Amino acid sequence: MDWASVITAAIAGAIGGGVGGLISGFLVRIFGDRVRGLGRILVIIAAIASYIFLTPFIEPAVGPLVRSFFSDNVREEVRSELMEQPFFAAYIERFPERSEPMLGRAEQAYRTGGHEQLLTVAQQIGQEIGVSVISDLGPYSSDADLRRFFDATEAIGRRNRNDPNLCYTFYYNQIAPQNVDLNDMARFATAPGFDDLMNAMTRIIYNAGDEAIPVDYATAQAAMEEALADLYEGGDPADSRFLMGAMPRNDIEYLAACDLMLLIFERYREHPQNEEIIRMLFGSGG
């Protein structure tokens, strides 16, 4: 069994789910009712995209040997491999009751569809865990841990801004999966800043408390609106089309789409009430 490809699929799903929760929070706050159901839509898109985008670039590296593998202990082998990854180990330890059904799905996927189906399900499970970290644990997390995740999500874009296609892939792969290049997806897990983001998500799992921290919705909403009130002052209002899924036509537009997302991060980060804003995005489940 090529476990590296299975874990890669699961990690890609987890990052997509976690960041997708944050980005959906951005869009709901910016566009309001027009994208009110975006969080749920992103979950559906990610599940569909798992086969379209992940399997093609993983499968060539797997080769024919994967189909010769069979084990009576698939569930335990999946568990063992996931426990080698701090992020998944933290989640399994915290939510054993959720982990067992997920492991059962992985086992069933392998027995019915082999390694290829296991890759697809591994990505879906990873994505579900990523969403869960934000929606379930965000409200119970400290300001410091939420800020660390927020900063890591911004930093990975800034560190890869010199590669506009990769930056775009990171921020828009669930907003507009049809626009993403497979080669950029393949490079994603080795991008500078990737480990910091995984570590930030892992800290949320370990550190989230037992009591939800209140969210001052009125204050946070007002602060978010104020932060973005002059978003396009001196800029191009047409850039907002990228947030709604428009495909960049060249490197200049890929960079513009990346810069737009980074500008939103910057405005929220620099606002005097940034803690309230970040808790609104993460603590309220995106």
Side-chain angles (χ1 to χ4, degrees), residues 20-71:
L22 172 60
I23 300 304
S24 68
F26 280 4
L27 300 191
V28 167
R29 294 337 185 241
I30 293 171
F31 294 108
D33 290 335
R34 283 181 288 170
V35 291
R36 184 63 58 184
L38 186 60
R40 292 185 296 274
I41 293 171
L42 289 181
V43 173
I44 297 171
I45 288 175
I48 296 172
S50 65
Y51 181 82
I52 298 174
F53 292 116
L54 288 173
T55 302
F57 74 75
I58 292 175
E59 180 67 16
V62 174
L65 62 88
V66 299
R67 292 178 179 82
S68 65
F69 175 87
F70 188 85
S71 171

Side-chain angles (χ1 to χ4, degrees), residues 230-237 267:
D230 62 342
L231 181 64
Y232 298 115
E233 186 174 311
D236 180 7
R267 292 296 183 86

Side-chain angles (χ1 to χ4, degrees), residues 1-16 54 57-59 62 66 74-89 92 103 106 115-127 129 185-186 188-190 194-195 198:
M1 173 70 76
D2 181 358
W3 285 114
S5 62
V6 176
I7 298 302
T8 296
I11 289 175
I15 291 295
L54 288 173
F57 74 75
I58 292 175
E59 180 67 16
V62 174
V66 299
V74 175
R75 179 192 296 253
E76 292 307 313
E77 292 188 47
V78 171
R79 185 201 306 276
S80 176
E81 293 298 325
L82 290 177
M83 291 298 287
E84 293 293 322
Q85 308 298 318
F87 172 77
F88 292 112
I92 290 172
L103 293 170
H115 188 272
E116 185 172 325
Q117 183 64 22
L118 178 57
L119 289 177
T120 300
V121 171
Q123 193 276 342
Q124 293 172 0
I125 289 172
Q127 193 268 345
I129 291 175
M185 288 286 290
F188 181 68
T190 58
F194 182 83
D195 289 341
M198 288 297 292

